[in-house]
Amino acid sequence: MTLFLNNIWLRRFLIAIGLFVAGIWFFWTSVYLGVWGALPSKEELSNIKQAEASLIFDANSELLGKFFIFDRQIVAFEELPKNLINALVATEDARFYQHSGVDYKSFFRVFFKSLLLQDESSGGGSTISQQLVKNLYGRKELGPLTLPVSKVKEMMIAKRVENVYSKEEILALYFNTVPFSDNTFGIESAARKFYNTTASQLTLAQCATLVGTLKASHSYNPRLYPERSQLRRDIVLQQMEKYGYIDEKIQHGANNNLIEIDYQYFDNDEGIAPYFREKLRLDVGKLLDTLSKPDGSKYDLYKDGLKIYTTLDNKLQEYAEKAMKEHMQKLQAQFEKAYGKNAPWISGDIFKKHLESNAQYKALLAKGLDEKDIMASLENKSEMHLFAWEGDNIEMTSTVDSLRHYLKFLNTGFIAIEPQTGAIKSYIGGIDYEHYKYDHVSMSKRQVGSTFKPFVYTAAIESGMPPCTYFAVKPVMYSDKGDWMPTNSSKIENEDQLNYSLEKALSNSVNTIAVKVLKQVRIEPVIALTRRMGITSDIPKVPSIALGTAELSLLELATAYTGFANKSVSPDAYFVNRIEDKKGNIIFEYKPKRVKPAFSETTRQVMVEMMKATINSGTATRIRNTYGLPNDMAGKTGTTQDNRDGWFVGITPKLVMATWVGHDDHRIGFKSTYIGQGANSALPMVALFLKEVNKDPAFNEISNAKFPRPSADVVASLDCDPEYEDGFFRRLFSNDEPDRKFQKKERKKKGFFGFLKKKDN
């Protein structure tokens, strides 16, 4: 014994062992006492609260999107497929059901290889319970001590977790918190994102694929690396077969399936209805500020797992987006070809103004650089991601060229509203949310052109003006308005001799008559009518409003038009049916306001018939002639001065659709009326949308809907020739006042010297 103790090397060895053990004990104790961060108590562990994504559902309860900090949805253990659980256990923790939170065999392997030898390839060795702790609490950065401290903390907390929760509860917690590829947290979110299904419906191969990604969520991302992901999936299947969860035949059968995903985008920039989801985010956020939880705290849109049920129809939105892309790509080509090499986005004052407002330009100017040096810097090329209708691409381009590229694009807005309720069924705020975030449905206000005329004519009919009142087409100078003389946008042959009924004047969008009708009705009653129809924007008290100089939002315009299909009532447009908390309790439910009719039923029937003429024989005949749509439909086109804006509103008994097309810079209009008129720039989007709707039997109720037959009195009031031509003496003595007495039976008589000369049509 004395010899043993006198051996200096042995003493040193024993001292080293003692110091090592003491060091381990002190280190372990320091972690336990919270020197490196407090450990959660059993009570805290039993009250684990995880942020949950709020879900957005369409009108048919299909998932439309999410609001989240972490993309997570909570599911119960009973909803987890057996294959999913078995795949996890076989791959990550084969002795999960035998240990109590820590697998010491794996621990010592990690201790000697990973910690002492710094061999990261040896694997983590963490149990499912330890991984759960890591998912819940993360790891604090402590330099070289990060890994050892984290591992010990996770072991300690895992033991506590096993004392608080059953194995089934641990598995459910794990699958609800584990991070999958593409910033997706939890199995339900992963199932919906990668396979467009629920966790409970995942197949064996899908379960194995998702579990396989847990080893390295980016490297085994099935969207980015399908071949690599498939190899990892097959390893998971082999592990399941090794531990007896599946037999060899099932394993080989699943191995033969190629990786196939049905990826769903739930971020703000991508996926279906991005503008609608952003509008929803803003408005629901404000709504939640007015609501409180039972404990008095406020709801959090990003953490509380709310369920938001909207009015949007996923399929109608899909058809609308398809129609928008098809039309806008074609229109953009027309737009660019018409301008050629002298386009305002290439050079000139407009381009210069945009360049000078560019953030990089301003920064360089602030540094004291002169114009030459600034331009030299802005013309340096680098890789940029550029939007294109043919598909986005990465190109070597400069800031100047990028500005020219994005400045050339037209933009648009489209909305479809159910007129009986005000429910928004489709919503497109622009051509591409990633690059053009400005919402052209609810935020933008532009002159509405001739789409304002139906309000003028509605006020006229409501005031008692018969539909068969005739007005002279020829222009008139209004000396009391500074010698203002409105003209018609297109040449009308013999316009000095023609007189149009209200129906023909509206359906052919005759400017001169619209102003004359407004003069008879007066401005105040027209503005009062628009207020009753839901328009809240300022409308100037000037006669030019008859031509659409008032600036309205697309949402306002479409909402007002719903009254023509809904008993003269324009219900408030809305897009949220109800909101539920995570337990299914309704915390908000939309309740429509009572809105009084804005005008009489007789007026409504007359206006619908007059706007049907716009579709059948007026400015919107492309609906029939070009697109061959048979739908019972009324509507109105609109074009503003210098062809800056194109509009179209289509009215069917079950759906009101409105669209605007133009350039975000008001100074850049269409090169010609042929391209810029609403019938060419805006109408096709509605037509292409309806073509898709008509092909889908699920929407037969919309496609086949008919307007109720107008009353006999309304039919009789419209029973007159659309126009007549003045004879010699009428032209000689005309005073441009409306001819209210010129009835059908009288027009059949010839006056002296052809005083009344009937024109054949």
Side-chain angles (χ1 to χ4, degrees):
M1 185 69 177
T2 302
L3 181 65
F4 182 79
L5 293 175
N6 287 335
N7 189 316
I8 188 170
W9 294 109
L10 184 58
R11 270 202 324 272
R12 288 178 178 177
F13 175 74
L14 290 175
I15 292 171
I17 290 293
L19 290 174
F20 177 75
V21 172
I24 292 294
W25 183 84
F26 278 114
F27 174 70
W28 192 278
T29 303
S30 70
V31 174
Y32 182 82
L33 294 176
V35 173
W36 309 98
L39 304 181
S41 65
K42 288 184 179 180
E43 183 179 356
E44 290 173 325
L45 288 171
S46 64
N47 292 302
I48 291 173
K49 292 183 179 180
Q50 287 295 307
E52 295 181 40
S54 290
L55 309 182
I56 311 166
F57 295 98
D58 82 336
N60 302 308
S61 297
E62 293 185 16
L63 187 64
L64 190 65
K66 304 178 183 181
F67 298 124
F68 57 88
I69 295 175
F70 298 112
D71 187 358
R72 177 186 288 119
Q73 293 170 244
I74 304 301
V75 293
F77 176 79
E78 292 73 23
E79 298 176 72
L80 301 175
K82 191 67 176 174
N83 283 326
L84 182 70
I85 294 171
N86 292 339
L88 177 69
V89 173
T91 308
E92 298 292 326
D93 189 0
R95 288 181 289 276
F96 172 70
Y97 295 106
Q98 283 75 51
H99 65 68
S100 58
V102 179
D103 185 345
Y104 288 101
K105 181 178 179 180
S106 296
F107 166 70
F108 284 113
R109 171 174 56 82
V110 172
F111 182 80
F112 285 105
K113 287 188 176 182
S114 296
L115 301 187
L116 295 183
L117 302 179
Q118 295 296 303
D119 180 8
E120 295 182 3
S121 65
S122 65
S126 295
T127 64
I128 289 174
S129 299
Q130 288 172 259
Q131 292 180 41
L132 170 61
V133 171
K134 179 183 175 183
N135 295 338
L136 291 173
Y137 298 103
R139 287 178 172 176
K140 185 178 180 181
E141 178 58 44
L142 298 169
L145 291 176
T146 298
L147 186 58
V149 170
S150 297
K151 285 289 185 181
V152 173
K153 287 180 69 174
E154 288 162 11
M155 291 172 65
M156 292 178 176
I157 300 172
K159 297 283 286 183
R160 295 182 183 182
V161 166
E162 293 264 356
N163 290 329
V164 174
Y165 295 102
S166 67
K167 292 290 185 179
E168 289 78 11
E169 290 171 329
I170 290 171
L171 287 169
L173 273 172
Y174 179 90
F175 275 116
N176 282 319
T177 58
V178 66
F180 290 91
S181 304
D182 288 345
N183 194 35
T184 308
F185 289 75
I187 188 62
E188 183 71 9
S189 293
R192 290 183 182 272
K193 176 170 283 189
F194 288 97
Y195 296 109
N196 194 21
T197 188
T198 60
S200 62
Q201 299 299 315
L202 289 170
T203 66
L204 170 61
Q206 291 169 346
C207 289
T209 300
L210 291 177
V211 168
T213 66
L214 300 179
K215 182 177 178 62
S217 60
H218 178 74
S219 298
Y220 296 115
N221 186 327
R223 177 179 65 87
L224 299 176
Y225 311 109
E227 294 182 0
R228 194 185 301 168
S229 179
Q230 185 167 321
L231 290 173
R232 178 62 186 165
R233 179 206 66 185
D234 293 346
I235 291 174
V236 174
L237 292 169
Q238 291 170 17
Q239 289 293 103
M240 293 180 72
E241 193 265 331
K242 173 183 176 180
Y243 289 104
Y245 292 116
I246 57 175
D247 59 32
E248 187 175 1
K249 182 179 179 181
I250 293 175
Q251 180 215 327
H252 288 310
N255 278 348
N256 291 331
N257 295 326
L258 296 175
I259 290 285
E260 292 184 2
I261 64 173
D262 182 7
Y263 196 82
Q264 304 297 305
Y265 289 95
F266 295 125
D267 60 88
N268 286 339
D269 286 355
E270 300 183 76
I272 197 165
Y275 291 94
F276 176 80
R277 286 185 277 119
E278 176 61 9
K279 171 70 173 170
L280 190 71
R281 184 185 71 84
L282 295 173
D283 286 22
V284 169
K286 294 176 184 176
L287 173 63
L288 293 178
D289 287 340
T290 68
L291 305 174
S292 297
K293 298 178 184 178
D295 64 3
S297 62
K298 293 296 182 182
Y299 289 97
D300 191 315
L301 181 62
Y302 305 97
K303 297 180 180 179
D304 285 341
L306 304 176
K307 295 179 180 178
I308 305 166
Y309 292 88
T310 73
T311 62
L312 203 80
D313 189 293
N314 217 353
K315 208 65 182 175
L316 290 178
Q317 181 69 18
E318 179 185 319
Y319 294 153
E321 291 184 7
K322 179 182 178 182
M324 183 274 288
K325 291 173 184 176
E326 180 180 342
H327 171 59
M328 291 304 292
Q329 182 174 357
K330 180 180 178 181
L331 185 66
Q332 184 68 36
Q334 291 179 326
F335 181 67
E336 292 180 37
K337 183 179 179 181
Y339 269 106
K341 296 180 180 179
N342 297 317
W345 56 84
I346 295 177
S347 60
D349 291 340
I350 293 177
F351 171 74
K352 186 178 180 181
K353 290 291 185 184
H354 280 275
L355 182 62
E356 290 173 349
S357 64
N358 178 270
Q360 288 180 256
Y361 183 98
K362 289 180 177 179
L364 294 171
L365 187 65
K367 291 180 179 180
L369 275 67
D370 60 25
E371 185 73 14
K372 182 179 178 181
D373 290 337
I374 290 175
M375 292 304 296
S377 177
L378 295 181
E379 287 175 352
N380 287 330
K381 294 189 176 184
S382 61
E383 281 193 354
M384 290 189 186
H385 179 91
L386 298 177
F387 166 77
W389 282 116
E390 299 78 13
D392 292 7
N393 51 70
I394 298 175
E395 294 183 11
M396 292 294 295
T397 190
S398 67
T399 299
V400 173
D401 289 336
S402 174
L403 178 62
R404 290 191 177 107
H405 175 79
Y406 284 108
L407 190 57
K408 72 182 180 183
F409 283 100
L410 293 166
N411 226 308
T412 190
F414 173 93
I415 190 169
I417 301 178
E418 187 176 71
Q420 286 73 30
T421 63
I424 295 173
K425 311 305 289 184
S426 180
Y427 188 111
I428 299 175
I431 58 172
D432 183 80
Y433 184 76
E434 182 179 356
H435 299 97
Y436 299 94
K437 287 184 166 53
Y438 191 65
D439 186 340
H440 296 87
V441 170
S442 57
M443 295 173 66
S444 175
K445 291 187 178 184
R446 303 287 287 248
Q447 291 189 354
V448 294
S450 295
T451 57
F452 193 87
K453 289 175 183 174
F455 305 134
V456 176
Y457 284 78
T458 300
I461 300 297
E462 187 70 1
S463 72
M465 187 181 292
C468 284
T469 302
Y470 290 80
F471 285 87
V473 175
K474 67 180 180 180
V476 172
M477 181 177 289
Y478 296 90
S479 56
D480 59 335
K481 301 298 178 184
D483 291 339
W484 177 56
M485 188 171 74
T487 58
N488 295 311
S489 57
S490 58
K491 181 175 175 57
I492 300 175
E493 189 177 350
N494 297 328
E495 71 174 17
D496 287 347
Q497 303 173 29
L498 289 177
N499 297 271
Y500 283 175
S501 68
L502 295 186
E503 180 181 282
K504 179 149 188 178
L506 178 61
S507 63
N508 284 268
S509 204
V510 180
N511 291 340
T512 53
I513 293 181
V515 176
K516 293 173 183 178
V517 172
L518 178 67
K519 185 184 178 208
Q520 292 295 318
V521 179
R522 293 179 299 107
I523 293 173
E524 289 76 10
V526 172
I527 294 177
L529 172 73
T530 64
R531 298 289 180 243
R532 296 196 299 273
M533 296 178 75
I535 291 175
T536 58
S537 292
D538 180 60
I539 299 176
K541 295 181 179 180
V542 293
S544 63
I545 62 170
L547 309 181
T549 55
E551 296 183 348
L552 309 177
S553 72
L554 187 62
L555 179 60
E556 280 182 295
L557 187 67
T559 299
Y561 268 71
T562 58
F564 295 120
N566 183 44
K567 301 179 180 179
S568 308
V569 173
S570 299
D572 291 341
Y574 74 101
F575 45 84
V576 177
N577 282 318
R578 70 181 188 279
I579 302 175
E580 297 177 359
D581 64 16
K582 67 174 69 177
K583 295 180 180 179
N585 300 311
I586 297 176
I587 63 172
F588 169 80
E589 190 167 21
Y590 179 74
K591 291 180 173 57
K593 299 176 183 176
R594 290 185 62 86
V595 182
K596 295 181 179 180
F599 43 89
S600 69
E601 174 62 14
T602 297
T603 297
R604 188 195 69 80
Q605 291 181 20
V606 169
M607 288 304 302
V608 168
E609 294 304 305
M610 288 169 62
M611 285 191 285
K612 279 184 179 180
T614 303
I615 302 293
N616 297 327
S617 59
T619 58
T621 54
R622 292 190 191 196
I623 289 287
R624 307 291 190 215
N625 302 337
T626 302
Y627 297 98
L629 294 174
N631 307 67
D632 199 8
M633 190 173 180
K636 187 71 190 76
T637 58
T639 313
T640 61
Q641 190 174 10
D642 297 327
N643 305 302
R644 291 190 178 97
D645 308 273
W647 297 81
F648 178 68
V649 184
I651 310 168
T652 69
K654 297 292 184 180
L655 209 60
V656 171
M657 300 143 287
T659 187
W660 163 88
V661 174
H663 198 282
D664 282 330
D665 189 319
H666 292 228
R667 296 166 295 181
I668 302 177
F670 290 91
K671 191 69 172 175
S672 68
T673 302
Y674 174 77
I675 299 174
Q677 62 180 308
N680 182 74
S681 61
L683 178 150
M685 201 181 306
V686 172
L688 292 169
F689 167 72
L690 276 179
K691 284 189 74 172
E692 294 297 320
V693 173
N694 288 350
K695 288 188 292 187
D696 191 336
F699 298 111
N700 282 346
E701 186 178 357
I702 294 174
S703 303
N704 300 330
K706 304 292 183 184
F707 286 109
R709 181 175 174 78
S711 69
D713 288 342
V714 168
V715 173
S717 71
L718 290 162
D719 186 19
C720 55
D721 288 339
E723 66 180 73
Y724 74 89
E725 188 174 321
D726 288 336
F728 172 75
F729 285 106
R730 178 170 285 274
R731 293 199 300 274
L732 188 63
F733 298 109
S734 174
N735 62 1
D736 295 310
E737 289 298 313
D739 187 346
R740 293 187 172 88
K741 298 179 180 179
F742 194 83
Q743 302 299 329
K744 183 178 180 181
K745 62 181 180 179
E746 294 172 328
R747 289 201 310 278
K748 292 180 180 178
K749 302 175 182 177
K750 299 288 184 177
F752 184 66
F753 291 117
F755 178 69
L756 299 178
K757 180 181 178 183
K758 182 179 178 181
K759 181 176 180 179
D760 295 329
N761 293 288

